[in-house]
Amino acid sequence: MSKLYVNNIYSKTGASEALNIQSDGDVSFTGNVFTPNRIHIRAIGDETAVYHNNNINDGLPMSVIAEDGDGNASSYYNTSTGLFTAPVGGIYFASFSVLIEAATSSDFQLLKNGVLYQRFFQNNERGWHGSLTALLNANDTLKFIQRDNAHDVYTAALYSHVTFTHLG
């Protein structure tokens, strides 16, 4: 096994010190430190302001990407199926909020890699919401589904959305 011992890292031109590692482990930077954009998606209904007839196990009907943290949301969120694929491993925040046609009891679920991960059950409500954090590996999937087909989801943008955010 090889080891690399470094005290200083210099700029590309070598004219100035860019990073200094002290013997006590403290690190100092000169210049800017850049971090990648956060992975964040907020998908909303298609703004048709109608009730979408969901079938059993359908993904929630969020077909418009309203917020895209790093510009690549379409590569890891499928607006047709509602399937989110984690581009990198880490802790993710996932949430949904929907308005259904009639106040009732129903069962919304979050699937992780196609397997039940969390149930969200409310009784006699029109507005449904749920959120959680999940530890994902790269290429793990999440999908919010409506477990029964008796309740239509309102697709107006201000009433229904799903969110997936990489926390770190």
Side-chain angles (χ1 to χ4, degrees):
M1 180 162 115
S2 299
K3 292 183 181 182
L4 174 65
Y5 295 96
V6 176
N7 290 331
N8 298 301
I9 296 177
Y10 290 87
S11 67
K12 189 174 182 180
T13 63
S16 64
E17 185 178 280
L19 179 122
N20 181 279
I21 304 170
Q22 307 293 325
S23 60
D24 63 2
D26 285 348
V27 177
S28 61
F29 298 92
T30 304
N32 298 321
V33 176
F34 295 97
T35 58
N37 290 331
R38 288 213 180 259
I39 296 161
H40 170 72
I41 298 168
R42 181 172 174 264
I44 59 175
D46 61 11
E47 300 189 38
T48 56
V50 297
Y51 288 97
H52 177 84
N53 184 14
N54 255 21
N55 295 310
I56 293 175
N57 296 328
D58 275 356
L60 296 180
M62 308 305 156
S63 59
V64 177
I65 296 176
E67 295 174 6
D68 182 354
D70 67 359
N72 292 311
S74 62
S75 67
Y76 38 81
Y77 179 73
N78 185 319
T79 56
S80 297
T81 65
L83 187 69
F84 170 78
T85 303
V88 296
I91 299 170
Y92 284 81
F93 173 78
S95 70
F96 80 98
S97 180
V98 295
L99 179 67
I100 59 175
E101 189 170 18
T104 186
S105 297
S106 190
D107 186 7
F108 288 87
Q109 298 180 357
L110 178 66
L111 304 180
K112 178 180 174 183
N113 298 324
V115 177
L116 176 63
Y117 186 72
Q118 181 69 50
R119 293 180 69 190
F120 303 92
F121 183 82
Q122 289 174 288
N123 188 35
N124 205 27
E125 298 289 336
R126 286 192 68 210
W128 290 69
H129 58 275
S131 62
L132 56 71
T133 57
L135 180 60
L136 302 180
N137 294 314
N139 297 314
D140 279 353
T141 61
L142 293 176
K143 181 179 182 177
F144 286 105
I145 65 168
Q146 183 175 351
R147 187 60 185 114
D148 51 52
N149 66 355
H151 314 295
D152 297 339
V153 174
Y154 195 57
T155 57
L158 296 177
Y159 295 97
S160 299
H161 72 269
V162 294
T163 303
F164 301 96
T165 302
H166 180 244
L167 300 177

